[in-house]
Amino acid sequence: MAPGLVEPPRYNEVPSVGIKTLPKINALNYTPGRNVVEKHSEPYEHDDLRGRFPDVHWPPLTEVSYNDKGHLGDPQFKNLLGSASDVFDYNPKIGTEIHGIDLATLTDAQKNDLARLIATRGVVFFRNQKNFDIDAQLKLGSYFGTLHSHATTCVPKREGLENVHVVYTGEDSPDLRALFTPTFLWHSDVTYEIQPPSYTSLKVLTGPPRGGGGDTLWSSQYAAYDMLSTPMQKYLEGLTAIHSADLQAQGSRDMGRTVRREPVTNEHPLIRTNPVTGWKSLFYCPGFVTKIVGIPKTESDHIISYLNEIVATSPELHARFQWNKDDVAFWDNRVCNHSASYGFMPHRRHAVRVCCQAEKPYLDPNSKSQEDDLAERYGLRKATKDGSGVVNYND
């Protein structure tokens, strides 16, 4: 617990008549909604990982080969979990937390299991990874595939780390939530690329104290697909969506920053198959999808609004992570949207992200949904989607 949150014990003395009472310990020094703000000394220990916007230009990305290491993972994740002290799911659909693992010392067999687990659970969390520095993070990211370099966001001050994305909000930074709708903040990273990322890691170097805000939420696109009715699933499986980088690039230019790679627009299937699990998922990004192809604009707009609602407002699809310093999240960008939460000022929030390019999105019509596969495997009852039945709301 941070210094200053707890007062030293004091003893209450009762006046009087020579009767001694047992000492009483005062309650914790607690103020609702208020946290001690950490004072950061200079030089800041992670100063080399603060952000900069280099004035450089890169050529367009070209297609690269991709061999998903998740195919090599053990179906029971025995190599990875054999060293774990605890593992638990956040809910049946998404999110797993593992304790007792040092990400900096994984064997190749453990890395393969990790990839398979991320593809299966969507997002996997590790606490207190002090040894997992940026060099180790890049090494693990490179093991999974060709690293992606972002065209507009800031990169570390340290030279040679241009494929690291820096998240940095200082104590005096403005709260920008009023600039966006809540659904727009939900996104899957750079889905406009021809090969959007798969395995993505984010490590928080400095962040708000417990209860200080700055959580991140993930939304399962496996589960989003399963929320659709069978006729809607079939309808969307025949459609593609336009993913565009134009708005993001223009925002950078408006702030006087260099767009290091010219923005691209790509068309991807609205439903895709994950090659590791074989499960179908929605592949929809509120922040980058501008149009559903081949249907009237009114219909496209309504589908976009409908999918926004599913992604952003369905609690059973979500996993919420309350960060501590040196915590790491790994997620599969192919099957998750995510959204950071505001409301953490005046705390500093500093993180670094690494991701690799995946396969070009595709749909295998013979692939299954997560719910169908698990229902067959474990004899689970599937959700009723036709609106029938009368039950009390489960609040």
Side-chain angles (χ1 to χ4, degrees), residues 225-240 270-271 280 282 303 306 363-369 372 385:
Y225 174 81
D226 276 323
M227 288 192 70
L228 306 172
S229 67
T230 300
M232 182 58 77
Q233 289 174 340
K234 295 300 180 186
Y235 171 55
L236 296 186
E237 284 175 17
L239 298 177
T240 58
L270 201 47
I271 307 298
K280 295 177 183 177
L282 183 65
I303 291 173
Y306 172 52
L363 172 64
D364 177 357
N366 296 316
S367 53
K368 296 181 179 180
S369 79
D372 286 345
K385 300 181 187 178

Side-chain angles (χ1 to χ4, degrees), residues 58 91 153-154 157 174 225 233 313 384:
W58 300 332
N91 64 62
T153 57
C154 57
K157 289 168 63 177
Y225 174 81
Q233 289 174 340
T313 69
T384 301

Side-chain angles (χ1 to χ4, degrees), residues 224-394:
Y225 174 81
D226 276 323
M227 288 192 70
L228 306 172
S229 67
T230 300
M232 182 58 77
Q233 289 174 340
K234 295 300 180 186
Y235 171 55
L236 296 186
E237 284 175 17
L239 298 177
T240 58
I242 297 297
H243 298 245
S244 174
D246 289 340
L247 183 63
Q248 188 176 71
Q250 188 58 48
S252 291
R253 289 187 173 118
D254 290 345
M255 290 185 283
R257 295 170 180 165
T258 299
V259 175
R260 300 184 288 275
R261 185 188 306 115
E262 285 302 303
V264 295
T265 296
N266 277 295
E267 185 176 334
H268 295 310
L270 201 47
I271 307 298
R272 73 183 293 180
T273 300
N274 185 289
V276 176
T277 62
W279 293 339
K280 295 177 183 177
S281 75
L282 183 65
F283 188 57
Y284 172 75
C285 175
F288 298 131
V289 168
T290 59
K291 180 183 177 182
I292 310 301
V293 178
I295 59 176
K297 178 172 171 45
T298 299
E299 192 171 330
S300 172
D301 289 350
H302 277 81
I303 291 173
I304 285 174
S305 177
Y306 172 52
L307 296 180
N308 282 348
E309 182 176 5
I310 286 179
V311 166
T313 69
S314 304
E316 63 268 34
L317 274 61
H318 294 169
R320 183 173 187 135
F321 190 56
Q322 188 177 78
W323 297 93
N324 292 311
K325 182 178 180 180
D326 294 319
D327 290 347
V328 175
F330 270 96
W331 67 94
D332 190 335
N333 197 66
R334 297 168 293 191
V335 299
C336 287
N337 279 291
H338 61 279
S339 180
S341 59
Y342 281 101
F344 56 86
M345 306 306 293
H347 303 291
R348 180 180 296 182
R349 188 172 185 270
H350 185 193
V352 282
R353 189 192 75 200
V354 173
C355 61
C356 67
Q357 295 172 246
E359 77 282 353
K360 190 175 179 179
Y362 71 96
L363 172 64
D364 177 357
N366 296 316
S367 53
K368 296 181 179 180
S369 79
Q370 180 189 49
E371 186 170 285
D372 286 345
D373 188 34
L374 296 182
E376 290 178 16
R377 199 181 306 177
Y378 303 119
L380 303 176
R381 180 183 296 177
K382 293 193 289 185
T384 301
K385 300 181 187 178
D386 61 7
S388 64
V390 179
V391 295
N392 290 329
Y393 179 70
N394 183 27

Side-chain angles (χ1 to χ4, degrees), residues 39-304:
K39 302 295 184 182
H40 297 281
S41 59
E42 295 294 341
Y44 172 48
E45 62 176 322
H46 300 297
D47 187 69
D48 62 327
L49 298 179
R50 276 177 160 148
R52 64 186 174 97
F53 294 91
D55 185 13
V56 297
H57 295 275
W58 300 332
L61 290 178
T62 57
E63 291 191 45
V64 296
S65 63
Y66 177 69
N67 298 304
D68 199 310
K69 294 303 176 77
H71 289 300
L72 304 176
D74 181 83
Q76 280 74 49
F77 320 106
K78 293 177 182 177
N79 303 295
L80 180 67
L81 299 183
S83 303
S85 59
D86 192 19
V87 56
F88 55 91
D89 291 340
Y90 277 33
N91 64 62
K93 298 293 186 182
I94 182 173
T96 298
E97 185 168 320
I98 301 177
H99 293 187
I101 299 292
D102 184 350
L103 291 173
T105 61
L106 294 180
T107 65
D108 286 355
Q110 289 177 314
K111 295 172 187 176
N112 298 336
D113 281 8
L114 175 58
R116 189 178 185 115
L117 182 61
I118 297 165
T120 302
R121 293 296 301 157
V123 58
V124 181
F125 306 110
F126 297 86
R127 300 283 187 183
N128 196 29
Q129 296 293 313
K130 294 185 182 299
N131 297 329
F132 192 60
D133 61 16
I134 191 59
D135 299 307
Q137 191 175 355
L138 283 166
K139 184 178 179 180
L140 182 52
S142 297
Y143 179 82
F144 290 141
T146 301
L147 295 181
H148 177 267
S149 299
H150 203 291
T152 60
T153 57
C154 57
V155 302
K157 289 168 63 177
R158 191 203 308 177
E159 296 286 343
L161 300 181
E162 285 72 27
N163 40 26
V164 175
H165 164 58
V166 176
V167 177
Y168 187 93
T169 305
E171 297 83 335
D172 300 323
S173 300
D175 187 327
L176 301 177
R177 78 184 94 178
L179 298 178
F180 309 101
T181 62
T183 56
F184 183 82
L185 289 172
W186 282 94
H187 65 285
S188 177
D189 292 329
V190 298
T191 58
Y192 46 73
E193 303 286 23
I194 190 66
Q195 291 176 267
S198 54
Y199 305 116
T200 304
S201 64
L202 184 71
K203 178 178 179 178
V204 164
L205 306 172
T206 302
R210 185 174 63 178
D215 301 352
T216 304
L217 293 84
W218 282 264
S219 180
S220 169
Q221 299 212 69
Y222 288 141
Y225 174 81
D226 276 323
M227 288 192 70
L228 306 172
S229 67
T230 300
M232 182 58 77
Q233 289 174 340
K234 295 300 180 186
Y235 171 55
L236 296 186
E237 284 175 17
L239 298 177
T240 58
I242 297 297
H243 298 245
S244 174
D246 289 340
L247 183 63
Q248 188 176 71
Q250 188 58 48
S252 291
R253 289 187 173 118
D254 290 345
M255 290 185 283
R257 295 170 180 165
T258 299
V259 175
R260 300 184 288 275
R261 185 188 306 115
E262 285 302 303
V264 295
T265 296
N266 277 295
E267 185 176 334
H268 295 310
L270 201 47
I271 307 298
R272 73 183 293 180
T273 300
N274 185 289
V276 176
T277 62
W279 293 339
K280 295 177 183 177
S281 75
L282 183 65
F283 188 57
Y284 172 75
C285 175
F288 298 131
V289 168
T290 59
K291 180 183 177 182
I292 310 301
V293 178
I295 59 176
K297 178 172 171 45
T298 299
E299 192 171 330
S300 172
D301 289 350
H302 277 81
I303 291 173
I304 285 174

